[in-house]
């Protein structure tokens, strides 16, 4: 199946040790008619400068890895038809451009929709070297430079990555090194207890010693390891709470161990009560991350980065920006995105993410964070992402992490051109379909920011009350009169976690942007929206439109000349999306019609 | 943990080959002071006659297996304090008193709540001989005589029971033989296709030959095998429909193969469309069995027995009697019960079944059927049934299969006395709790015969709309005004499948017995019931009462002096039941309150 690098030489020599060697190889094999001069300037880091002197001589200046990024930039510019009349310079906004794989040692991927793990099989590191190197090339060409290969939920025997499997991990790190990709490891906070230490208390000297010695051992094997990724005190994971310590004490202990080696601790803020009683209207899950972290602002060590999911829940189609991303000014932050389409169609339904990411940045100053991370959509399927068109999310994520001001249409167009080389009309059609796909998915699924009407656990397909009385804190409380949770100051107080400009934008249902309306407000079905429609009519309209637009999307998409076997896979998944969209549309409309009793004012069929 | 035979000698000699040997051993070791005279009269079959001549000499006359049943009858009568002033004779109502285990070859049990399989491990027959013999004793003492050891969903490698595993199966049959227990095997209708035959068409000569030769081979190894159990064309199982044949053609083909050996085909009638569209209001799942079988009445071979689930759905707390059990007068029928508490509390919640079975017999003439079967509640837990008090269901099922006119309180009392030997007051209290447990469970779960408000797939705990838009055909269609499906002549026509006396009893909502009301009728929440309450108030009342009664049940049960370790297990499960009952009560009440908006007229708390 097609990848965005399919125009490059399919072979990658196995004897290239440095990014610069790879850069030169890629340039020379892509453009044999051009002579390249590579000039390494260590201080430029990931940055580069490209000049095409006379059409026959290229000069590339850059840091050690910058040379590589410059080479791919040049190659992709040329493949996309850009000229080089004047020099081009660039350096990334964020030093760490991370991909988090949720791969388990048994080869399964948590929330994986593209096959099995690329790294693990049967409890061991076990992989195809050629596929790993191809993955390195994909990541490098998208500008991505940190790869965490194991699930943040560290199930045994993944702990052995720091123990018996370390030599094998070091071999894998060597494989990725020419591609400028540094490994990261998810660690189990209680790991010292596997070694006779009766506690994992971060203030216990034996625990601190164990982590210090472990870091020494690990960095002796992999000197450029990016660091440790930690999910602590969340959904059953061990963490500092067990010992009466806070998350700063937990993170700083690990940071101290990694400090001598330049490693960072990426500490995830996805902490909440996942055993909530649905009867309890005081606890509001979106408030949890702020309550656990905001008071610790300024307390974290210099090499700790808090990794915050972009929204306060968990990767729903539409969520507000997490309040932590606007509030923790004295803490290093990474924003976590999710390429894996956990709630967004399982890489069956078409869902291009960059329009959503760009919306996040409309409220998030790019300087508020110092890094981006994304949960991987990768697996060992032939094309790495299952759905051929899901690869656009990995590629455009790379461009966003390099430069958050990147234009969404530019990024998607570039991916389309590199991957399929369609005519301008066809390309324009495909770009337009991809850019519209998120809004279409949003329309036929849960309405107006309410989220969580998805089949529990599996997270594909509708189940409007599936989570309604569950332990996960994700309630809509729809009844015969109204739907939603009041999260304003007079409700759960969630909005109080934000700066004033943000609160003002959302706190009044009369002026709150409609797509977020039910996230912040509980409203009766006959609530009159800004566009003059009632809330219930808007719900019906969106769903009928979402289904119609999916049908139109299918017609247009399937008329494009995708090559085999992409065309078969795309057709098969599009048919499954059509089924899914119809289920969503009809079930959500029926659900609200049964509750409200209000008919559709256009007389379309809502089933009993 | 305590079993009902715990007062007997725990050892069972391994060298007893005939039921009569076992009978004599059991009698002599139970009552060393009595001299027994056993007289076998083959024509009596399972029947027996017991005389106690002068308090010191017993005379037991019976068929080959009748001697065994007579021995256990005498032992249990004596242990329960009955005198023997005059002779006692008995013979069973049904010749086949069957237990169906849904054990898979990998050792898992489908819908098993008492541990792993007693028969299988790691894809092979692999068991503890002593436990098998103890199981034989339990079955014999309860009068049960046919045991199907493998799941009706025949997953590979269970097919090998008729192939490579046949010698091992024969050894197991030998183990059970002294207990009067004959084995049965669930077979895969497509099994000939594992042997190079390109079809499983029941009219194909090669298929018929294969089954005939297989029967020869199987009966050479196990001459007293009871027969084959078949689930065909149901929930994805293979069957005659694939070849355009009907179920009579399928069953009769197997019957022909078994006929020379005296074997029977037990053909299950659990056939319906499990890929139904929730939008389709024409198809009504309870109608399916009748539609598939009624027109074939009289078409089945003499050694085919249709095994019909007692209700038209699938073992809900309350379902009407299946119309097939009242309508197929020219066909041999077995009624299928379920000891496994699939929808009835997972052997966590207390649920004694015999009151429900007795209700079924109020409408079912005992002669309509010629056999009973029950899905097993057995597993390799120490006490075989997980919850110590769940064993009452296995024991009383045996008494019912022997004599459907058995009194429920008598049967339960007998089990209590044999198992725990409490004082009369304590025994009376326990019997009363057990007899009330089904109605309590019914009250706190889905209301008034509607069923299916249980967590999908797992089938424990509430999820009032979990199946509402699913493929399984189990809808309640509750909306803001009304709830239920109209299954009368003016609705789906389900009631038309019944004889007139039955239809008349249920077709009018004003006179329909209240506990079945929502099975047959769609009614508004303000519908006035026969007791003067509104439907919605009755739903609230039942749920609050069910929870209160569970609390009272817990208090009383936990005050009884159960021995260790039973007491710990009972306390633990009772606490889980209390949690479950509260979830059910509150969630169902909230669900209906959100829909109806009608407050509880007693002002009790219904959560938002």
């Amino acid at each position: 199946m097609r990848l965005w690098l399919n125009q490059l030489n399919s072979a990658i020599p196995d004897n290239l040790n440095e990014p610069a060697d790879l850069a030169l190889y890629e340039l020379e094999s892509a453009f044999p008619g051009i002579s390249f001069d590579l000039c390494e300037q260590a201080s430029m880091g990931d940055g580069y400068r490209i000049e095409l002197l006379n059409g026959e001589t290229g000069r590339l200046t850059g840091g050690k890895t910058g040379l590589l990024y410059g080479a791919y930039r040049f190659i992709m510019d040329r493949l996309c038809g850009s000229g080089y009349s004047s020099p081009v310079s660039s350096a990334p906004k964020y030093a760490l451009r991370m991909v988090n794989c949720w791969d388990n040692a048994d080869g399964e991927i948590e929330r994986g929709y593209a096959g099995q793990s690329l790294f693990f099989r049967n409890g061991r590191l076990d992989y195809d070297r050629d596929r790993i190197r191809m993955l390195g090339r994909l990541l490098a060409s998208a500008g991505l430079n940190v790869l965490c290969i194991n699930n943040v939920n560290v199930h045994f025997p993944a702990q052995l990555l720091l123990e018996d499997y370390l030599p094998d991990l070091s071999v894998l790190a060597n494989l990725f090194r020419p591609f400028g990709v540094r490994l990261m490891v998810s660690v189990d906070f209680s790991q010292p207890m596997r070694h006779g230490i009766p506690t994992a208390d971060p203030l216990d000297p034996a625990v601190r010693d164990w982590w210090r010695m472990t870091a020494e051992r690990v960095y002796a094997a992999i000197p450029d390891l990016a660091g440790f990724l930690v999910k602590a005190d969340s959904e059953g994971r061990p963490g500092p709470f067990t010992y009466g310590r806070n998350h700063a004490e937990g993170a700083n202990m690990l940071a101290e161990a990694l400090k001598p080696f330049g490693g960072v601790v990426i500490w995830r803020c996805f902490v909440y009560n996942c055993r909530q009683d649905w009867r309890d209207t005081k606890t509001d899950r979106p408030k949890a991350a702020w309550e656990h972290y905001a008071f610790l602002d300024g307390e974290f060590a210099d090499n700790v980065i808090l990794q915050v999911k972009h929204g306060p829940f968990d990767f729903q189609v539409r969520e507000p920006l997490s309040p932590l991303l606007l509030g923790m000014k004295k803490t290093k932050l990474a924003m976590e995105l999710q390429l894996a389409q956990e709630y967004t169609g399982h890489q069956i339904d078409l869902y291009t993410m960059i329009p959503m990411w760009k919306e996040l940045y409309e409220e998030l100053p790019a300087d508020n964070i110092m890094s981006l991370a994304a949960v991987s959509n990768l697996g060992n399927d032939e094309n790495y992402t299952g759905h051929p068109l899901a690869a656009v999310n990995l590629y455009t994520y790379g461009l966003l992490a390099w430069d958050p001001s990147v234009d969404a249409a530019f990024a998607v167009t570039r991916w389309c051109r590199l991957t399929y080389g369609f005519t301008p009309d066809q390309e324009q059609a495909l770009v337009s379909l991809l850019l519209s796909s998120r809004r279409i998915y949003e329309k036929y699924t849960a309405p107006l920011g309410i989220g969580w009407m998805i089949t529990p656990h599996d997270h594909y397909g509708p189940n409007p009350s599936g989570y309604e009385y569950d332990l996960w804190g994700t309630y809509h409380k729809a009844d015969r009169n109204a739907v939603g949770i009041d999260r304003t100051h007079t409700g759960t107080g969630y909005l109080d976690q934000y700066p004033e400009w943000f609160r003002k934008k959302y706190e009044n249902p009369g002026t709150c942007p409609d797509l977020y309306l039910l996230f912040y407000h509980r409203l009766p079905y006959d609530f009159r929206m800004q566009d003059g429609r009632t809330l219930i009519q808007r719900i019906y309209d969106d769903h009928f439109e979402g289904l119609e637009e999916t049908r139109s999307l299918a017609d247009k998409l399937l008329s494009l000349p995708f090559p085999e076997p992409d065309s078969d896979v795309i057709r098969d998944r599009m048919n499954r999306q059509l089924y899914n969209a119809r289920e969503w549309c009809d079930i959500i409309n029926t659900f609200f019609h049964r509750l409200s009793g209000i008919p559709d004012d256009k007389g379309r069929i809502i089933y009993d």
Side-chain angles (χ1 to χ4, degrees), chain A:
Chain A
M1 283 195 272
R2 288 288 181 89
L3 297 166
W4 67 81
L5 294 178
N6 70 81
Q7 296 172 69
L8 298 195
N9 190 336
S10 65
I12 315 170
D14 206 351
N15 59 352
L16 306 174
N17 294 317
E18 292 293 328
D21 302 338
L22 178 63
L24 193 59
Y25 165 77
E26 295 279 32
L27 287 168
E28 289 182 341
S29 50
F31 307 112
I34 307 178
S35 152
F36 288 96
D37 175 21
L38 266 60
C39 171
E40 185 169 328
Q41 287 197 12
S43 65
M44 291 178 76
D46 288 342
Y48 57 79
R49 182 170 191 274
I50 315 167
E51 294 167 272
L52 188 57
L53 296 177
N54 50 20
E56 287 171 18
T57 308
R59 178 180 296 160
L60 174 55
T61 314
K64 184 170 173 177
T65 43
L67 292 174
L68 187 59
Y69 299 124
Y72 283 117
R73 167 71 182 277
F74 180 76
I75 289 166
M76 292 190 288
D77 278 348
R78 293 278 288 191
L79 292 175
C80 289
S82 306
Y84 261 78
S85 52
S86 58
V88 169
S89 291
S90 188
K93 177 73 185 172
Y94 304 125
L96 300 174
R97 303 175 299 279
M98 303 184 282
V99 173
N100 295 175
C101 297
W102 287 356
D103 292 22
N104 295 323
D106 64 4
E108 298 291 326
I109 303 177
E110 185 166 329
R111 310 305 174 186
Y113 312 105
Q116 300 287 106
S117 174
L118 284 158
F119 315 110
F120 297 98
R121 204 153 37 193
N122 298 325
R124 314 237 7 148
L125 279 167
D126 184 358
Y127 48 82
D128 176 327
R129 286 174 59 91
D130 287 340
R131 297 214 74 189
I132 292 296
R133 284 161 357 97
M134 187 59 188
L135 174 61
R137 189 190 219 181
L138 289 169
L139 295 174
S141 70
L144 297 165
N145 68 347
V146 176
L147 182 68
C148 184
I149 62 161
N150 68 308
N151 191 354
V152 291
N153 295 314
V154 183
H155 305 299
F156 186 79
Q159 291 90 345
L160 300 183
L161 289 172
L162 303 186
E163 304 176 12
D164 297 359
Y165 295 175
L166 185 56
D168 292 338
L169 187 66
S170 166
V171 171
L172 184 65
N174 295 344
L175 256 181
F176 275 115
R177 195 167 288 113
F179 301 92
V181 173
R182 297 161 67 200
L183 292 188
M184 176 170 279
V185 183
S186 295
V187 303
D188 170 356
F189 195 79
S190 66
Q191 194 152 347
M193 299 175 75
R194 293 175 33 82
H195 298 271
I197 300 170
T199 175
D201 181 351
L203 301 194
D204 185 281
V207 171
R208 302 175 82 90
D209 279 352
W210 187 86
W211 282 111
R212 197 157 36 227
M213 289 186 307
T214 296
E216 260 180 52
R217 205 163 31 75
V218 169
Y219 276 86
I222 309 171
D224 62 351
L225 187 83
F228 291 166
L229 175 60
V230 190
K231 175 176 179 179
D233 288 316
S234 173
E235 298 178 337
R237 293 293 104 192
F241 285 174
T242 309
Y243 311 100
R245 315 301 181 190
N246 67 36
H247 281 229
E249 289 166 319
N252 292 345
M253 178 276 290
L254 290 175
E256 182 185 273
L258 297 186
K259 182 90 178 170
F261 312 101
V264 296
V265 173
I266 307 285
W267 190 271
R268 294 177 84 234
C269 295
F270 184 55
V271 178
Y272 68 100
N273 176 12
C274 66
R275 305 284 303 165
Q276 196 183 323
D277 189 330
W278 60 273
R279 301 168 189 82
D280 168 16
T281 53
K282 298 279 188 298
T283 306
D284 187 20
R285 174 167 158 187
K287 294 170 71 178
W290 178 271
E291 288 168 346
H292 283 102
Y293 288 96
F295 74 99
L296 294 171
D297 193 20
E299 300 291 316
F300 289 92
D302 207 39
N303 59 330
V304 171
I305 299 173
L306 295 189
Q307 185 165 304
V308 182
K309 288 192 182 190
H310 67 75
F313 263 133
D314 188 18
F315 300 131
Q316 301 303 292
V317 179
R318 183 170 300 270
E319 295 187 33
L321 200 62
S322 167
L324 287 181
L325 295 171
L326 295 175
M328 292 190 79
K329 301 288 193 185
K330 291 177 282 182
T331 303
K332 289 181 174 167
L333 299 175
M335 178 161 70
E336 182 177 310
L337 308 171
Q338 189 184 40
L339 307 175
Q341 291 177 225
E342 177 178 356
Y343 299 94
T344 52
H346 281 200
Q347 287 146 243
I348 299 165
D349 297 24
L350 209 61
Y351 191 95
T352 301
M353 297 177 173
I354 193 167
M356 180 177 90
W357 301 332
K358 294 298 294 181
E359 285 174 14
L360 297 173
Y361 272 101
E362 285 173 17
E363 294 184 326
L364 175 70
D367 291 333
N368 270 32
I369 60 176
M370 57 86 70
S371 176
L372 272 184
V375 180
S376 155
N377 59 354
L378 297 163
N380 72 354
D381 278 359
E382 188 193 334
N383 64 349
Y384 294 85
T385 55
H387 197 311
L389 303 177
V392 72
N393 290 323
L394 180 63
Y395 179 79
T396 55
Y397 165 65
L399 269 51
L400 183 88
W402 188 277
D403 175 10
S405 73
V406 67
D407 179 73
F410 166 82
V412 170
T413 302
R414 205 165 162 99
W415 179 83
C416 292
R417 190 167 305 170
L418 290 167
T419 306
Y420 289 115
F422 284 155
T423 67
D425 282 355
Q426 292 162 350
E427 178 180 289
Q428 178 54 41
L430 179 56
V431 169
S432 163
L433 295 174
L434 294 177
L435 287 173
S436 66
S437 60
R438 181 265 186 140
R439 180 71 190 116
I440 293 174
Y441 184 88
E442 180 177 29
K443 278 185 170 181
Y444 63 70
T445 57
L448 304 173
I450 206 164
W452 297 109
M453 291 190 160
I454 205 154
T455 303
H457 316 307
D458 178 57
H459 299 166
Y460 187 79
N463 188 336
S465 294
Y467 276 111
E468 196 53 19
Y469 306 99
D470 219 318
L471 304 166
W472 301 90
T474 52
Y475 313 120
H476 55 64
K477 295 188 180 284
D479 68 16
R480 72 199 317 263
N481 302 312
V483 55
I485 305 286
D486 178 3
R487 295 199 163 96
T488 68
H489 183 70
T490 56
T492 71
Y494 166 76
L495 254 178
D496 295 340
Q497 295 179 346
Y498 286 93
E500 192 183 358
W501 64 267
F502 192 99
R503 283 204 308 273
K504 284 201 176 308
K505 182 169 170 187
Y506 295 102
E507 70 188 358
N508 182 338
T511 53
C512 175
D514 55 6
L515 293 175
Y516 291 89
L517 195 59
L518 293 179
F519 187 91
Y520 293 110
H521 301 287
R522 180 170 183 79
L523 295 169
Y525 297 116
D526 59 1
F527 174 79
R528 194 61 63 176
M529 298 184 65
Q530 296 174 66
D531 65 9
R533 287 182 281 183
T534 60
L535 173 61
I536 189 74
Q537 190 57 42
R538 173 62 187 264
I539 291 173
Y540 297 153
D541 286 350
D542 273 9
H543 284 78
F544 285 119
E545 286 168 26
L547 176 56
E548 277 314 303
E549 289 167 9
T550 304
R551 288 170 173 156
S552 161
L553 184 154
D555 287 344
K556 290 177 187 159
L557 191 72
L558 298 181
S559 74
L560 290 173
F562 291 106
E564 293 289 357
D566 296 35
S567 59
D568 284 346
V569 179
I570 290 169
R571 183 179 308 105
D572 170 66
R573 298 196 182 205
M574 193 69 242
N575 285 332
R576 290 156 74 189
Q577 178 172 3
L578 282 166
Y579 178 86
N580 190 43
R582 179 162 179 245
E583 285 295 291
W584 270 103
C585 168
D586 285 344
I587 289 173
I588 296 298
N589 281 344
T590 294
F591 174 78
F592 281 107
H593 183 257
R594 286 184 184 180
L595 281 164
S596 70
I598 301 173
D600 172 45
D601 68 12
K602 299 189 180 65
R604 293 161 293 194
I605 294 177
I606 297 178
Y607 294 87
D608 286 335

